[in-house]
Amino acid sequence: MKKLSLFVLLIAAILASCSSDDDAPSGISEANLIGEWKFTAASENGTPETLDECDLQDVYEFKAGGSLVNTFYNSNVTIADGQTTIICEGPNTDEFSWSLSGDQLTFTYGDAVTEIETLTIVLLNSTTLTTEYTEEENGEVYVYTETYTKL
């Protein structure tokens, strides 16, 4: 009986020390970021934001070596006789650099003044990139989440 109890205790200790997460790759790597990602969803403090047809055309192309090209369209909204019309103006492009450290994705851009923005990667797999960042304004904290689909 003592041997059986010791065996059960040993098995329980082995199982408790193993985690199903240990073998799962994080997926967050520079190689997985390379490619084109289309903007598909956004939320502020957990509340989904409404994206117009221009927003949904935004594409981020991550290139090897740390360069990034953002192709986007500006929304020109007009309201006449109760009708709202959205005209997408563009395409426009911005180029800047990116780097990855763990789950922290950093963008560096700006002409006259260098600006740095860091996002946390919440999810990165072969089809989906989800990022999150926090801003504080007038003592209020806002958490923004953005989702992209790989093209």
Side-chain angles (χ1 to χ4, degrees), residues 1 10 15 27 35 43 47 52 57-58 63 82 99-100 108 122 143:
M1 185 70 164
L10 179 62
L15 291 175
S43 68
T47 302
D52 66 30
Q57 293 183 57
D58 284 4
K63 297 182 178 185
S99 63
L100 182 66
T108 305
V122 176
V143 178

Side-chain angles (χ1 to χ4, degrees), residues 48-69:
E49 292 186 349
T50 301
L51 303 175
D52 66 30
E53 62 233 38
C54 305
D55 296 327
L56 294 171
Q57 293 183 57
D58 284 4
V59 173
Y60 290 81
E61 181 182 4
F62 288 85
K63 297 182 178 185
S67 66
L68 179 96
V69 176

